[in-house]
Amino acid sequence: MDVTHILAGLNEAQREAVAAPPGNALVVAGAGSGKTRVLVHRIAWLIEAEGVSPYGLLAVTFTNKAAAEMRQRIEALLSVSASSLWVGTFHGIAHRLLRMHWQEAGLPQNFQILDADDQQRLVKRVMRALDIDEHRWPVRQAVWAINQHKDEGRRAAALPDSDDLFQVIHKRIYESYESLCNEGGLVDFAELLLRCLECLRGDEALLAHYRQRFGHILVDEFQDTNGIQYDWLKLLAGGTSHVMAVGDDDQSIYGWRGARIENVRAFIDEFEDVATIRLEQNYRSTGTILDAANALIGHNAGRLPKSLWTEGAVGDPIALYSADNDLDEARFVAERIAGAIEDGGSADEMAVLYRSNAQSRVLEEALMRADIPYRIYGGFRFFERAEIKNALSYLRLTHDRHADVAFERVVNTPPRGIGEKTLEAVRQLSRARAVSLWQASKEAIHEGQLRGRAANVVAEFIKLIDGMAEGGQDLSLHELTEWVIEASGLMDYHGREPGERGLARKENLQELVSAARQFSGELVFPLQDADQPAMSELAEFLDQSALDAGDRESGAGSAVQMMTLHSAKGLEFPTVFITGLEEGLFPHRQSRETENGLEEERRLCYVGITRAMRTLYLTHAEVRRLHGVENHNRPSRFIRELPPNLVSEIRVRRMVDRSSSLLNPVRGLFAPEPSAVNIGQRVAHQKFGEGVVLQSDGQGERTRVQVHFAAAGEKWLMLSAANLQTLD
Ligand code: ATP
Ligand code: MG
């Protein structure tokens, strides 16, 4: 069989890895050096050149998206069908094995998968049955503890006895949750892996079967595997399978979720005769981008030795934009994208990356306003997030008590002891009398269908909402929003979720307050209009957020890709914007306090920079309203860690203020030119009349200015030719 096409388009080192004789191999190499490409070609090589059946191969990647892409690329290289080839994530593969071997795994055939939400509900039920005080022992913390035990392979029964009350309580919850899951045939995410591992461990015949079947196991993004994934891999390989692991220690970014970079070391030590292959040529990025990335990551200690070079063009300098605030930053991003599209670029060649999901809202709004289609990956759009929907539901109820969807959503969120039985009674009454749930609740209490505790808790809820509405009457929209989030207990409730998640939810709630504040200043239509019935600002805000959650995302066609830096791993784009490069945000407040945390943030920045193929923009804002407060943050140290000669600062300044006025007197002027005008300067043009200078671009002869004319709108003009008169 002719296999030259599989080796074509590979360099020497890549070819060596792809065509190596069967054996264990570790490919450690920097970003964009073709690791994923090697994995794909290796699979094709094994099938076509070594005659391995696709059935005998197992390929593991990090996300479902990556798995789908990998399968596609493999199939493109093959002359035979690859349908029997297993490609998937660790969870996906474990799930598949359990479906096939439910009996061996001790599961009912129709076992049910619990998603994170279901799992949480179940743990809550367990705690209630055990009479454990949720306020003292938050449910989310218990869920977190259970998952962590499972990720480390620990069953409840195997936990040591402890004097520590925290441990004792969590052990009781875990035990009880475990038996409930077993009785009900329920399997949570962490259980998929653990159950699969135990099943293989406990069944010699089964293990032998799979060891024999999977003669080759290939793993991408190996640096981000956790303990149980590594154990699973080792068990399955069993010294007979050949494992090829590819990864980059400099891109390990999931330490906070239990990933162990030590697995790279362990792999070399614990697997037999591991051939280590290094790839050093980068094919993705320009020389400038690569040099910057190398310089940045050079600030981390204890790395595996590595050098990365490219034959590609030097490329443009990295563009750095210092924005006045986050709105200005977002507008800059949107303008650059619009400009690039105007110049013939395609939206999906561009990615906007950010550290925290809460940053996306302002960026989204700027893109929407500029009519640029975008798509958000790995994370809900702002107004679709659970905590935001909860807060909006409370707001809606203060405005309209009969909004049933909102009622359903928050009547027991945060949990206030309104049980399913009580709710069902209310629902029935509401159906029978064709009244809202709110009305039905009141009648049920009044007429005695609800009694005792049930009546009390529902009455409490009614009082809570009435109280919010009454107390909120004299508050401005953002004050009301802030108050409702607090008074409803949502801030506390979401804030108690463990780790990054709880933090993110809190930040998002605070961000909603910012959105409300900003909304007041940005109403497109006046609230009181002669032709329109007056709408309250609150109603407008609620409608707008519902719209924003719905249609505005252009699903099909070319769209700008927006995502967190974490979800950008493995991807590449011609143009990349890394936003929010500020101390406290990136590196993130918490992570920068420890050396390990800081290094992980730096790796995350390295991941971000190395996503860019041709053009890289870095932005930071002097003032950012995030988490509900205005932050004055210094530019991120990561900017300083880049060689200055690779970075060019963009001197365009557009003053955007959150107060109603569009322009402020200029603080930072762009470089003075003989004919320069200042931003904010009032000018007159012969044809367009009077206007205000918004921004300027270019230098000397080629200076252009954008002017907002009262009558003619926004125009770009060549300064040397426009003959502008400056007004006082
Ligand atoms: P990351 O660390 O970001 O996951 P990677 O090491 O997996 O990166 P790939 O995504 O496999 O790198 O490759 C980066 C880019 O370089 C891809 O566009 C790939 O097609 C291209 N590439 C890799 N090797 C070669 C080669 N020998 N010739 C031409 N292009 C190549
Ligand atoms: Mg890759």
Side-chain angles (χ1 to χ4, degrees), residues 128 412 416-424 427 453-454 457:
R128 219 163 276 160
N412 202 34
R416 48 179 67 86
I418 300 181
E420 207 19 58
K421 237 174 72 197
T422 305
L423 263 180
E424 200 38 51
R427 285 190 201 112
R453 192 178 131 73
V457 282

Side-chain angles (χ1 to χ4, degrees), residues 202-445:
D203 191 324
E204 251 175 73
L206 193 69
L207 180 60
H209 166 78
Y210 279 105
R211 280 182 174 170
Q212 201 183 9
R213 169 174 175 176
F214 294 128
H216 294 269
I217 302 175
L218 302 99
V219 189
D220 200 359
E221 307 279 5
F222 184 68
Q223 77 280 358
D224 279 324
T225 49
N226 68 18
I228 198 163
Q229 290 165 343
Y230 180 82
D231 290 347
W232 188 85
L233 208 62
K234 203 174 152 191
L235 181 73
L236 197 57
T240 49
S241 301
H242 306 298
V243 179
M244 177 182 268
V246 315
D248 179 4
D249 55 308
D250 287 333
Q251 294 184 69
S252 159
I253 54 175
Y254 282 98
W256 57 277
R257 230 170 55 180
R260 293 193 317 212
I261 197 163
E262 301 82 43
N263 288 346
V264 176
R265 190 76 250 163
F267 182 69
I268 298 173
D269 293 343
E270 297 173 10
F271 283 68
E272 234 166 83
D273 298 328
V274 175
T276 302
I277 297 153
R278 296 184 197 289
L279 308 175
E280 305 200 319
Q281 183 170 1
N282 172 294
Y283 290 90
R284 179 179 292 148
S285 310
T286 63
T288 300
I289 291 169
L290 196 60
D291 287 349
N294 285 339
L296 177 84
I297 201 65
H299 285 81
N300 274 6
R303 306 166 50 224
L304 298 177
K306 205 178 302 172
S307 70
L308 207 54
W309 55 275
T310 177
E311 273 177 357
V314 173
D316 292 332
I318 292 162
L320 172 68
Y321 181 64
S322 306
D324 294 308
N325 55 36
D326 47 326
L327 295 181
D328 181 32
E329 177 187 56
R331 241 172 269 219
F332 171 79
V333 170
E335 272 174 18
R336 288 288 151 151
I337 292 174
I341 292 173
E342 228 166 77
D343 291 344
S346 158
D348 52 12
E349 291 180 343
M350 293 172 242
V352 182
L353 310 181
Y354 36 84
R355 175 67 182 82
S356 138
N357 272 313
Q359 286 170 255
S360 76
R361 188 186 58 79
V362 170
L363 291 162
E364 280 183 68
E365 283 179 3
L367 291 176
M368 266 186 221
R369 208 164 295 151
D371 225 0
I372 297 167
Y374 66 88
R375 196 170 301 135
I376 293 199
Y377 278 103
F380 288 112
R381 284 160 46 87
F382 185 76
F383 287 114
E384 287 168 3
R385 291 182 182 128
E387 63 278 19
I388 299 300
K389 280 167 84 169
N390 290 342
L392 290 172
S393 295
Y394 276 103
L395 279 173
R396 190 169 287 283
L397 283 177
T398 67
H399 176 70
D400 171 15
R401 306 287 193 288
H402 307 297
D404 279 355
V405 176
F407 183 98
E408 279 270 9
R409 191 172 173 95
V410 295
V411 63
N412 202 34
T413 305
R416 48 179 67 86
I418 300 181
E420 207 19 58
K421 237 174 72 197
T422 305
L423 263 180
E424 200 38 51
V426 171
R427 285 190 201 112
Q428 265 177 23
L429 195 67
S430 131
R431 274 196 297 271
R433 298 190 180 169
V435 294
S436 65
L437 291 169
W438 176 270
Q439 185 65 26
S441 303
K442 286 171 90 165
E443 292 178 11
I445 294 169

Side-chain angles (χ1 to χ4, degrees), residues 9 11 14 31-37 251 283-284 572 611:
N11 65 32
Q14 291 173 333
S33 57
K35 294 183 295 299
T36 303
R37 188 175 170 111
Q251 294 184 69
Y283 290 90
R284 179 179 292 148
E572 61 188 20
R611 298 311 96 198

Side-chain angles (χ1 to χ4, degrees), residues 22 63 76 100 131 177 274 280 415 645:
T63 61
M100 293 167 67
D131 220 6
Y177 168 80
V274 175
E280 305 200 319
N645 62 314

Side-chain angles (χ1 to χ4, degrees), residues 153-169:
R154 291 187 295 265
R155 287 293 180 194
L159 293 180
D161 285 324
S162 163
D163 297 335
D164 183 45
L165 191 55
F166 184 86
Q167 309 280 352
V168 173
I169 294 278

